[in-house]
Amino acid sequence: MESEVIVKARAAHEAARQLAAAPTELKNRALMYIADALEVHRGDIMSANEKDVDRARAGGMGEAMLDRLSLTEARIKDMARGVRQVVGLEDPTGICLDDWNRPNGLHIRKITVPLGVVAIIYESRPNVTVDAAVLCIKSGNACILRGGSESIHSNMVLVSVLKEGLSRAGLNADGIGLLENTDRALVKELLTLRDYIDMAIPRGGAGLIRMVVTTATVPCIETGSGVCHVYVDKDADLDMAVRIVENAKVSRPSTCNAMETLLVHQDVIRPFLQKLMPVLTEKQVELRGDNQACAFDDSIKKATEVDWGTEYNALIMSVKTVSSLKDALDHIRRYSTHHSEAIVTNNTKTAELFLQDVDSAAVYVNASTRFTDGFEFGFGAEIGISTQKLHVRGPMGLTALVTYKYVIHGQGQIR
């Protein structure tokens, strides 16, 4: 018998043909039905999610990760609101990017088209199920979803709601597939189905991303892992820096755009920590620092080499003292995952040098790294945050889910 993976991938491949040809109006109608269904079935969604959360808590999952897993009535309403916002976004397919005439009379147009079938492998966050499927539908793609085992009950109910919306609009419900078997071996099978899968996108921790990138024989977009830095320069407004660091670390530490390492110029390390420490202590943030940071406060633990490259996804933060902008840039170059980095400074020249030198998807001056997000960038929901350079980089909205083809009209020309 064929595996669940092949059956669902083949079905999605067939459904992708219909979705690619579906007019914008029909795709939007399906999305509106999905938004309505999310609200109608919110009780079923929350009941299923409660099972996942209870099981995860019993298994020892930390509070930050439990927060990623949990769905509240407010979060479900936000999901529905996000779906309706995608309805209002421009359809990224069928757009003429360029057109020209050749001397031989051929007329060539470059037109955006869907990728086909997108496999999305992710962990914990069931809202990704909705975000990913909705963006795929709007862009004319089918999708195969494989969430983590910790969110399986939530994802099964959410996918049934998504399929309900597709069917009600007259679209093939196989355009959204969920791997319900959580055996990891099936993920590896999925990532090698070149006949059916056009793109794989992992969303999760470094281990998951590494597994997908090294296993996949289908094209893959590397996303997510975020060892993000904030550098407080000697010319920084220290009060502003405290607000930025607090937000970057504390507002939602489980996300990939949360700051993990704080770099502080040696000229301001003591006055800055005097302002920052009471704020972080109140928020119960654990600090791990170098010798200078540890000398400031006994509560700061000694950092190890491993800390500088760790994505904590928790209320833990490493602190390093640097002697110059170059020292800060060298540290970022060595330990960054090329996600998001920020500098706090009032020195325009220093800021420009930082922006020029840092090779990450998003680079900030006097703002929190937490803004690296599709919604915050104005893209609506996001499919992930790419930390590579091909074919997209940074928050991935609708335009990241299309490619293009050339359409050529002639009058009998031959070469």
Side-chain angles (χ1 to χ4, degrees):
M1 294 179 62
E2 292 181 322
S3 71
E4 175 193 2
V5 178
I6 293 177
V7 170
K8 291 188 174 179
R10 181 186 293 123
H13 182 71
E14 290 299 316
R17 295 179 62 189
Q18 183 198 38
L19 285 167
T24 304
E25 180 184 2
L26 183 57
K27 292 186 289 187
N28 284 342
R29 190 182 311 153
L31 295 181
M32 290 302 294
Y33 289 151
I34 286 171
D36 293 342
L38 285 168
E39 294 178 335
V40 169
H41 296 293
R42 65 180 179 273
D44 296 332
I45 296 168
M46 290 175 66
S47 294
N49 182 249
E50 188 176 346
K51 293 180 184 177
D52 290 329
V53 172
D54 288 346
R55 185 178 61 172
R57 182 176 285 112
M61 179 179 283
E63 287 302 318
M65 299 304 290
L66 284 171
D67 178 64
R68 289 167 70 101
L69 178 61
S70 299
L71 292 177
T72 62
E73 187 166 340
R75 287 183 179 180
I76 294 171
K77 286 182 179 179
D78 284 343
M79 282 184 186
R81 187 181 303 114
V83 175
R84 295 187 178 103
Q85 287 173 338
V86 172
V87 171
L89 298 176
E90 182 181 8
D91 189 335
T93 64
I95 296 172
C96 182
L97 300 174
D98 200 0
D99 75 298
W100 63 96
N101 293 305
R102 296 292 298 144
N104 60 8
L106 289 177
H107 179 63
I108 304 174
R109 290 185 299 150
K110 185 179 181 181
I111 307 293
T112 58
V113 295
L115 293 170
V117 180
V118 182
I120 302 148
I121 300 93
Y122 53 104
E123 297 171 330
S124 296
R125 297 169 64 182
N127 64 295
V128 174
T129 302
V130 176
D131 289 351
V134 163
L135 288 175
C136 285
I137 294 167
K138 178 78 178 200
S139 56
N141 294 287
C143 61
I144 297 291
L145 306 173
R146 202 286 191 176
S149 58
E150 66 277 4
S151 57
I152 186 61
H153 296 99
S154 306
N155 289 337
M156 288 172 66
V157 173
L158 286 170
V159 168
S160 70
V161 170
L162 293 163
K163 285 176 170 288
E164 177 184 315
L166 281 181
S167 297
R168 189 178 171 194
L171 292 170
N172 189 338
D174 288 335
I176 303 171
L178 173 71
L179 296 188
E180 297 179 9
N181 187 328
T182 57
D183 185 347
R184 292 189 178 185
L186 298 186
V187 176
K188 295 183 178 181
E189 182 180 3
L190 177 69
L191 295 172
T192 59
L193 294 181
R194 294 178 62 90
D195 289 342
Y196 303 125
I197 305 298
D198 297 284
M199 177 70 74
I201 302 174
R203 288 191 60 169
L208 171 70
I209 294 167
R210 191 180 309 112
M211 183 278 291
V212 171
V213 171
T214 57
T215 302
T217 59
V218 301
C220 183
I221 297 177
E222 188 170 348
T223 71
S225 180
V227 179
C228 303
H229 300 77
V230 173
Y231 168 50
V232 178
D233 183 50
K234 63 184 178 66
D235 297 316
D237 177 326
L238 298 186
D239 291 327
M240 177 197 292
V242 169
R243 294 193 300 272
I244 289 172
V245 169
E246 178 187 10
N247 180 262
K249 180 71 262 182
V250 175
S251 61
R252 201 165 183 189
S254 61
T255 60
C256 60
N257 56 22
M259 181 196 69
E260 304 295 7
T261 298
L262 170 66
L263 304 173
V264 186
H265 194 284
Q266 63 184 11
D267 290 359
V268 295
I269 183 70
R270 293 193 66 81
F272 181 61
L273 288 182
Q274 284 173 350
K275 290 175 177 287
L276 181 66
M277 286 294 293
V279 175
L280 297 187
T281 299
E282 180 184 352
K283 301 295 184 179
Q284 299 182 315
V285 178
E286 176 186 320
L287 298 183
R288 302 178 184 178
D290 62 4
N291 290 335
Q292 286 182 259
C294 290
F296 177 80
D297 194 297
D298 291 342
S299 68
I300 301 177
K301 299 179 180 180
K302 184 71 171 69
T304 67
E305 176 64 22
V306 172
D307 284 308
W308 307 127
T310 296
E311 183 181 19
Y312 298 112
N313 292 134
L315 288 173
I316 305 172
M317 186 176 82
S318 56
V319 183
K320 183 176 178 61
T321 310
V322 294
S323 60
S324 63
L325 171 65
K326 181 182 182 301
D327 197 9
L329 292 171
D330 288 345
H331 182 95
I332 292 171
R333 188 177 298 110
R334 179 173 179 180
Y335 296 102
S336 171
T337 55
H338 309 290
H339 191 296
S340 301
E341 327 294 349
I343 183 173
V344 185
T345 186
N346 287 329
N347 188 313
T348 302
K349 183 178 180 180
T350 300
E352 288 303 316
L353 289 171
F354 186 87
L355 292 174
Q356 187 177 69
D357 189 88
V358 172
D359 184 21
S360 291
V363 191
Y364 296 85
V365 175
N366 296 333
S368 170
T369 58
R370 290 278 288 114
F371 285 106
T372 307
D373 174 84
F375 182 80
E376 294 292 341
F377 275 29
F379 299 161
E382 72 176 25
I383 202 81
I385 298 173
S386 171
T387 53
Q388 65 182 47
K389 299 180 182 180
L390 296 175
H391 73 121
V392 290
R393 198 178 195 193
M396 298 164 55
L398 286 169
T399 57
L401 292 173
V402 295
T403 182
Y404 55 82
K405 66 181 179 183
Y406 293 101
V407 176
I408 304 99
H409 283 87
Q411 303 86 35
Q413 289 93 332
I414 60 174
R415 183 174 178 180

